[in-house]
Amino acid sequence: QGTYLKPTGTIMVKNIFGKVISKQNIEGYYVLPETKRVIKKELNNPYLVGLYKAELTIANYPGDPVVTKSTYFVKFSSTILAIIGLLALIIFITITFIRPRLKKRKNK
């Protein structure tokens, strides 16, 4: 007997407020019973920073009961970190130039 599973469902990535950032369908995979298959999806957004929730809803066959699993992850985008670092550098340079001028005014 040659039975197989054809999982169908969706993978959603939600931000901390519950807004869906990304949604991808799972379809076209065939899996034999009592085995597992790793389904990888990738989210490419250079502006993500913070806590996110990945939520999987999947059924063995279309129309079967749906199982929901979720996990949390933290994403730090290099673009956002570079912008924050640049702003911190600008604030540091501004403070180092303003402070000596204020001391000179007080001493006069």
Side-chain angles (χ1 to χ4, degrees):
Q1 182 179 5
T3 60
Y4 63 89
L5 305 176
K6 185 177 181 185
T8 58
T10 58
I11 296 175
M12 291 186 290
V13 176
K14 298 179 182 180
N15 66 8
I16 197 167
F17 304 109
K19 181 181 176 189
V20 176
I21 303 297
S22 175
K23 183 177 180 179
Q24 296 177 344
N25 291 329
I26 299 171
E27 50 191 32
Y29 296 99
Y30 294 97
V31 181
L32 295 172
E34 301 301 321
T35 62
K36 70 177 182 180
R37 182 170 187 150
V38 177
I39 300 171
K40 293 183 180 182
K41 298 292 181 178
E42 200 169 305
L43 176 64
N44 292 324
N45 187 337
Y47 303 108
L48 292 179
V49 171
L51 180 67
Y52 292 91
K53 178 182 179 183
E55 188 174 276
L56 169 69
T57 56
I58 194 163
N60 288 336
Y61 294 102
D64 274 5
V66 176
V67 176
T68 302
K69 295 183 179 187
S70 63
T71 185
Y72 289 90
F73 65 95
V74 177
K75 174 78 171 159
F76 290 108
S77 169
S78 59
T79 305
I80 297 296
L81 291 177
I83 291 171
I84 292 171
L86 183 64
L87 289 175
L89 180 64
I90 290 170
I91 291 170
F92 175 75
I93 290 172
T94 304
I95 289 173
T96 57
F97 282 116
I98 291 175
R99 204 174 256 179
R101 289 182 185 174
L102 291 176
K103 286 183 180 180
K104 285 181 183 178
R105 287 184 185 174
K106 286 183 181 180
N107 290 339
K108 287 184 178 183

PDB file of all heavy atoms in Angstrom, residues 9 14-16 22 25 36 39 41 44 48 54 61 65 70-71 76-77 83 91-92 95-96 100 108:
ATOM      1  N   GLY A   9      -0.751  24.219   4.140  1.00  0.00           N
ATOM      2  CA  GLY A   9      -0.906  25.191   5.213  1.00  0.00           C
ATOM      3  C   GLY A   9      -0.193  26.484   4.889  1.00  0.00           C
ATOM      4  O   GLY A   9       0.141  26.754   3.731  1.00  0.00           O
ATOM      5  N   LYS A  14       4.616  37.290  12.336  1.00  0.00           N
ATOM      6  CA  LYS A  14       3.886  38.425  12.898  1.00  0.00           C
ATOM      7  C   LYS A  14       4.817  39.234  13.796  1.00  0.00           C
ATOM      8  O   LYS A  14       5.695  38.671  14.450  1.00  0.00           O
ATOM      9  CB  LYS A  14       2.701  37.936  13.735  1.00  0.00           C
ATOM     10  CG  LYS A  14       1.676  37.167  12.941  1.00  0.00           C
ATOM     11  CD  LYS A  14       0.560  36.691  13.840  1.00  0.00           C
ATOM     12  CE  LYS A  14      -0.465  35.878  13.067  1.00  0.00           C
ATOM     13  NZ  LYS A  14      -1.543  35.424  13.938  1.00  0.00           N
ATOM     14  N   ASN A  15       4.594  40.554  13.826  1.00  0.00           N
ATOM     15  CA  ASN A  15       5.391  41.379  14.735  1.00  0.00           C
ATOM     16  C   ASN A  15       4.795  41.335  16.126  1.00  0.00           C
ATOM     17  O   ASN A  15       3.824  40.621  16.390  1.00  0.00           O
ATOM     18  CB  ASN A  15       5.530  42.805  14.195  1.00  0.00           C
ATOM     19  CG  ASN A  15       4.220  43.555  14.145  1.00  0.00           C
ATOM     20  OD1 ASN A  15       3.188  43.103  14.639  1.00  0.00           O
ATOM     21  ND2 ASN A  15       4.239  44.715  13.526  1.00  0.00           N
ATOM     22  N   ILE A  16       5.347  42.109  17.045  1.00  0.00           N
ATOM     23  CA  ILE A  16       4.934  42.071  18.451  1.00  0.00           C
ATOM     24  C   ILE A  16       3.481  42.526  18.644  1.00  0.00           C
ATOM     25  O   ILE A  16       2.829  42.171  19.608  1.00  0.00           O
ATOM     26  CB  ILE A  16       5.908  42.895  19.315  1.00  0.00           C
ATOM     27  CG1 ILE A  16       5.755  42.553  20.779  1.00  0.00           C
ATOM     28  CG2 ILE A  16       5.731  44.370  19.076  1.00  0.00           C
ATOM     29  CD1 ILE A  16       6.862  43.074  21.655  1.00  0.00           C
ATOM     30  N   SER A  22       4.833  38.677   6.947  1.00  0.00           N
ATOM     31  CA  SER A  22       5.049  37.806   5.797  1.00  0.00           C
ATOM     32  C   SER A  22       4.127  36.595   5.912  1.00  0.00           C
ATOM     33  O   SER A  22       3.868  36.104   6.999  1.00  0.00           O
ATOM     34  CB  SER A  22       6.512  37.347   5.761  1.00  0.00           C
ATOM     35  OG  SER A  22       6.707  36.421   4.728  1.00  0.00           O
ATOM     36  N   ASN A  25       2.584  30.204   1.575  1.00  0.00           N
ATOM     37  CA  ASN A  25       1.836  28.947   1.542  1.00  0.00           C
ATOM     38  C   ASN A  25       2.783  27.757   1.456  1.00  0.00           C
ATOM     39  O   ASN A  25       3.848  27.838   0.859  1.00  0.00           O
ATOM     40  CB  ASN A  25       0.891  28.917   0.345  1.00  0.00           C
ATOM     41  CG  ASN A  25      -0.242  29.897   0.505  1.00  0.00           C
ATOM     42  OD1 ASN A  25      -0.674  30.176   1.607  1.00  0.00           O
ATOM     43  ND2 ASN A  25      -0.720  30.436  -0.606  1.00  0.00           N
ATOM     44  N   LYS A  36       9.738  12.662   8.436  1.00  0.00           N
ATOM     45  CA  LYS A  36       9.524  14.103   8.528  1.00  0.00           C
ATOM     46  C   LYS A  36      10.313  14.789   7.433  1.00  0.00           C
ATOM     47  O   LYS A  36      11.301  14.261   6.928  1.00  0.00           O
ATOM     48  CB  LYS A  36       9.907  14.643   9.899  1.00  0.00           C
ATOM     49  CG  LYS A  36      11.373  14.660  10.210  1.00  0.00           C
ATOM     50  CD  LYS A  36      11.593  15.280  11.576  1.00  0.00           C
ATOM     51  CE  LYS A  36      13.076  15.352  11.899  1.00  0.00           C
ATOM     52  NZ  LYS A  36      13.310  15.940  13.200  1.00  0.00           N
ATOM     53  N   ILE A  39      10.765  21.876   6.025  1.00  0.00           N
ATOM     54  CA  ILE A  39      10.301  22.858   5.054  1.00  0.00           C
ATOM     55  C   ILE A  39      10.865  24.205   5.490  1.00  0.00           C
ATOM     56  O   ILE A  39      10.540  24.702   6.561  1.00  0.00           O
ATOM     57  CB  ILE A  39       8.758  22.898   4.998  1.00  0.00           C
ATOM     58  CG1 ILE A  39       8.217  21.531   4.607  1.00  0.00           C
ATOM     59  CG2 ILE A  39       8.287  23.965   4.035  1.00  0.00           C
ATOM     60  CD1 ILE A  39       6.714  21.396   4.740  1.00  0.00           C
ATOM     61  N   LYS A  41      11.495  28.239   4.809  1.00  0.00           N
ATOM     62  CA  LYS A  41      11.073  29.453   4.131  1.00  0.00           C
ATOM     63  C   LYS A  41      11.963  30.577   4.622  1.00  0.00           C
ATOM     64  O   LYS A  41      12.421  30.583   5.758  1.00  0.00           O
ATOM     65  CB  LYS A  41       9.604  29.779   4.432  1.00  0.00           C
ATOM     66  CG  LYS A  41       8.631  28.734   3.953  1.00  0.00           C
ATOM     67  CD  LYS A  41       8.578  28.685   2.460  1.00  0.00           C
ATOM     68  CE  LYS A  41       7.571  27.656   1.988  1.00  0.00           C
ATOM     69  NZ  LYS A  41       7.445  27.592   0.559  1.00  0.00           N
ATOM     70  N   ASN A  44      13.300  37.836   3.689  1.00  0.00           N
ATOM     71  CA  ASN A  44      14.356  38.796   3.384  1.00  0.00           C
ATOM     72  C   ASN A  44      13.798  40.211   3.444  1.00  0.00           C
ATOM     73  O   ASN A  44      13.180  40.685   2.501  1.00  0.00           O
ATOM     74  CB  ASN A  44      14.948  38.538   1.996  1.00  0.00           C
ATOM     75  CG  ASN A  44      15.713  37.250   1.938  1.00  0.00           C
ATOM     76  OD1 ASN A  44      16.363  36.884   2.906  1.00  0.00           O
ATOM     77  ND2 ASN A  44      15.637  36.546   0.829  1.00  0.00           N
ATOM     78  N   LEU A  48      13.964  44.770   9.439  1.00  0.00           N
ATOM     79  CA  LEU A  48      13.321  44.124  10.577  1.00  0.00           C
ATOM     80  C   LEU A  48      14.205  44.197  11.820  1.00  0.00           C
ATOM     81  O   LEU A  48      15.367  43.832  11.780  1.00  0.00           O
ATOM     82  CB  LEU A  48      13.028  42.653  10.272  1.00  0.00           C
ATOM     83  CG  LEU A  48      11.971  42.367   9.224  1.00  0.00           C
ATOM     84  CD1 LEU A  48      11.825  40.876   9.040  1.00  0.00           C
ATOM     85  CD2 LEU A  48      10.648  42.980   9.581  1.00  0.00           C
ATOM     86  N   ALA A  54       6.788  33.350  14.548  1.00  0.00           N
ATOM     87  CA  ALA A  54       6.559  32.549  13.351  1.00  0.00           C
ATOM     88  C   ALA A  54       5.486  31.525  13.691  1.00  0.00           C
ATOM     89  O   ALA A  54       5.615  30.790  14.664  1.00  0.00           O
ATOM     90  CB  ALA A  54       7.841  31.863  12.914  1.00  0.00           C
ATOM     91  N   TYR A  61      -3.528  16.513   4.897  1.00  0.00           N
ATOM     92  CA  TYR A  61      -4.153  16.547   3.578  1.00  0.00           C
ATOM     93  C   TYR A  61      -5.059  17.764   3.529  1.00  0.00           C
ATOM     94  O   TYR A  61      -5.523  18.235   4.563  1.00  0.00           O
ATOM     95  CB  TYR A  61      -5.029  15.305   3.340  1.00  0.00           C
ATOM     96  CG  TYR A  61      -4.282  14.008   3.271  1.00  0.00           C
ATOM     97  CD1 TYR A  61      -4.264  13.140   4.358  1.00  0.00           C
ATOM     98  CD2 TYR A  61      -3.615  13.636   2.111  1.00  0.00           C
ATOM     99  CE1 TYR A  61      -3.587  11.936   4.299  1.00  0.00           C
ATOM    100  CE2 TYR A  61      -2.936  12.433   2.053  1.00  0.00           C
ATOM    101  CZ  TYR A  61      -2.932  11.595   3.138  1.00  0.00           C
ATOM    102  OH  TYR A  61      -2.261  10.413   3.075  1.00  0.00           O
ATOM    103  N   PRO A  65      -7.894  18.001   9.762  1.00  0.00           N
ATOM    104  CA  PRO A  65      -7.768  18.952  10.878  1.00  0.00           C
ATOM    105  C   PRO A  65      -6.434  19.695  10.821  1.00  0.00           C
ATOM    106  O   PRO A  65      -5.399  19.142  10.458  1.00  0.00           O
ATOM    107  CB  PRO A  65      -7.834  18.062  12.118  1.00  0.00           C
ATOM    108  CG  PRO A  65      -8.495  16.811  11.672  1.00  0.00           C
ATOM    109  CD  PRO A  65      -8.158  16.647  10.223  1.00  0.00           C
ATOM    110  N   SER A  70       3.875  27.437  16.883  1.00  0.00           N
ATOM    111  CA  SER A  70       4.495  28.756  16.772  1.00  0.00           C
ATOM    112  C   SER A  70       5.787  28.814  17.577  1.00  0.00           C
ATOM    113  O   SER A  70       6.000  28.026  18.495  1.00  0.00           O
ATOM    114  CB  SER A  70       3.530  29.841  17.236  1.00  0.00           C
ATOM    115  OG  SER A  70       3.212  29.670  18.594  1.00  0.00           O
ATOM    116  N   THR A  71       6.626  29.750  17.198  1.00  0.00           N
ATOM    117  CA  THR A  71       7.866  30.004  17.903  1.00  0.00           C
ATOM    118  C   THR A  71       8.196  31.488  17.800  1.00  0.00           C
ATOM    119  O   THR A  71       7.771  32.156  16.859  1.00  0.00           O
ATOM    120  CB  THR A  71       9.016  29.146  17.338  1.00  0.00           C
ATOM    121  OG1 THR A  71      10.168  29.356  18.144  1.00  0.00           O
ATOM    122  CG2 THR A  71       9.350  29.503  15.912  1.00  0.00           C
ATOM    123  N   PHE A  76      17.671  41.154  14.255  1.00  0.00           N
ATOM    124  CA  PHE A  76      18.424  42.401  14.249  1.00  0.00           C
ATOM    125  C   PHE A  76      18.936  42.622  12.836  1.00  0.00           C
ATOM    126  O   PHE A  76      19.774  41.875  12.349  1.00  0.00           O
ATOM    127  CB  PHE A  76      19.606  42.350  15.223  1.00  0.00           C
ATOM    128  CG  PHE A  76      19.187  42.363  16.654  1.00  0.00           C
ATOM    129  CD1 PHE A  76      19.299  41.218  17.425  1.00  0.00           C
ATOM    130  CD2 PHE A  76      18.671  43.499  17.237  1.00  0.00           C
ATOM    131  CE1 PHE A  76      18.907  41.214  18.744  1.00  0.00           C
ATOM    132  CE2 PHE A  76      18.277  43.502  18.561  1.00  0.00           C
ATOM    133  CZ  PHE A  76      18.397  42.354  19.309  1.00  0.00           C
ATOM    134  N   SER A  77      18.435  43.646  12.182  1.00  0.00           N
ATOM    135  CA  SER A  77      18.843  43.963  10.831  1.00  0.00           C
ATOM    136  C   SER A  77      20.136  44.770  10.848  1.00  0.00           C
ATOM    137  O   SER A  77      20.281  45.714  11.623  1.00  0.00           O
ATOM    138  CB  SER A  77      17.740  44.771  10.141  1.00  0.00           C
ATOM    139  OG  SER A  77      18.202  45.291   8.930  1.00  0.00           O
ATOM    140  N   ILE A  83      22.375  52.343  11.129  1.00  0.00           N
ATOM    141  CA  ILE A  83      21.755  53.666  11.289  1.00  0.00           C
ATOM    142  C   ILE A  83      21.807  54.097  12.752  1.00  0.00           C
ATOM    143  O   ILE A  83      22.146  55.247  13.060  1.00  0.00           O
ATOM    144  CB  ILE A  83      20.303  53.650  10.759  1.00  0.00           C
ATOM    145  CG1 ILE A  83      20.312  53.506   9.231  1.00  0.00           C
ATOM    146  CG2 ILE A  83      19.553  54.907  11.168  1.00  0.00           C
ATOM    147  CD1 ILE A  83      18.960  53.257   8.623  1.00  0.00           C
ATOM    148  N   ILE A  91      25.749  61.960  17.846  1.00  0.00           N
ATOM    149  CA  ILE A  91      25.441  62.522  19.172  1.00  0.00           C
ATOM    150  C   ILE A  91      26.709  62.625  20.013  1.00  0.00           C
ATOM    151  O   ILE A  91      26.943  63.642  20.675  1.00  0.00           O
ATOM    152  CB  ILE A  91      24.366  61.667  19.872  1.00  0.00           C
ATOM    153  CG1 ILE A  91      23.028  61.835  19.160  1.00  0.00           C
ATOM    154  CG2 ILE A  91      24.252  62.027  21.352  1.00  0.00           C
ATOM    155  CD1 ILE A  91      21.959  60.868  19.606  1.00  0.00           C
ATOM    156  N   PHE A  92      27.561  61.612  19.970  1.00  0.00           N
ATOM    157  CA  PHE A  92      28.815  61.633  20.729  1.00  0.00           C
ATOM    158  C   PHE A  92      29.714  62.781  20.268  1.00  0.00           C
ATOM    159  O   PHE A  92      30.269  63.514  21.091  1.00  0.00           O
ATOM    160  CB  PHE A  92      29.533  60.294  20.576  1.00  0.00           C
ATOM    161  CG  PHE A  92      30.881  60.264  21.219  1.00  0.00           C
ATOM    162  CD1 PHE A  92      30.995  60.177  22.599  1.00  0.00           C
ATOM    163  CD2 PHE A  92      32.029  60.333  20.448  1.00  0.00           C
ATOM    164  CE1 PHE A  92      32.237  60.165  23.203  1.00  0.00           C
ATOM    165  CE2 PHE A  92      33.269  60.318  21.036  1.00  0.00           C
ATOM    166  CZ  PHE A  92      33.380  60.236  22.422  1.00  0.00           C
ATOM    167  N   ILE A  95      28.283  66.166  21.403  1.00  0.00           N
ATOM    168  CA  ILE A  95      28.475  66.400  22.843  1.00  0.00           C
ATOM    169  C   ILE A  95      29.926  66.750  23.138  1.00  0.00           C
ATOM    170  O   ILE A  95      30.202  67.645  23.945  1.00  0.00           O
ATOM    171  CB  ILE A  95      28.013  65.174  23.655  1.00  0.00           C
ATOM    172  CG1 ILE A  95      26.493  65.078  23.609  1.00  0.00           C
ATOM    173  CG2 ILE A  95      28.504  65.245  25.092  1.00  0.00           C
ATOM    174  CD1 ILE A  95      25.937  63.824  24.230  1.00  0.00           C
ATOM    175  N   THR A  96      30.877  66.099  22.490  1.00  0.00           N
ATOM    176  CA  THR A  96      32.287  66.394  22.769  1.00  0.00           C
ATOM    177  C   THR A  96      32.692  67.772  22.294  1.00  0.00           C
ATOM    178  O   THR A  96      33.607  68.368  22.860  1.00  0.00           O
ATOM    179  CB  THR A  96      33.213  65.343  22.117  1.00  0.00           C
ATOM    180  OG1 THR A  96      32.964  65.298  20.717  1.00  0.00           O
ATOM    181  CG2 THR A  96      33.023  63.987  22.738  1.00  0.00           C
ATOM    182  N   PRO A 100      33.155  71.414  25.793  1.00  0.00           N
ATOM    183  CA  PRO A 100      34.274  72.336  26.044  1.00  0.00           C
ATOM    184  C   PRO A 100      33.892  73.805  25.856  1.00  0.00           C
ATOM    185  O   PRO A 100      34.372  74.676  26.576  1.00  0.00           O
ATOM    186  CB  PRO A 100      35.332  71.912  25.021  1.00  0.00           C
ATOM    187  CG  PRO A 100      35.011  70.508  24.693  1.00  0.00           C
ATOM    188  CD  PRO A 100      33.524  70.407  24.814  1.00  0.00           C
ATOM    189  N   LYS A 108      34.710  82.375  32.163  1.00  0.00           N
ATOM    190  CA  LYS A 108      34.915  83.808  31.886  1.00  0.00           C
ATOM    191  C   LYS A 108      34.271  84.703  32.867  1.00  0.00           C
ATOM    192  O   LYS A 108      33.607  84.722  33.673  1.00  0.00           O
ATOM    193  CB  LYS A 108      34.372  84.148  30.498  1.00  0.00           C
ATOM    194  CG  LYS A 108      35.268  83.612  29.406  1.00  0.00           C
ATOM    195  CD  LYS A 108      34.754  84.062  28.084  1.00  0.00           C
ATOM    196  CE  LYS A 108      35.666  83.589  26.976  1.00  0.00           C
ATOM    197  NZ  LYS A 108      35.262  84.047  25.693  1.00  0.00           N
TER     198      LYS A 108
END
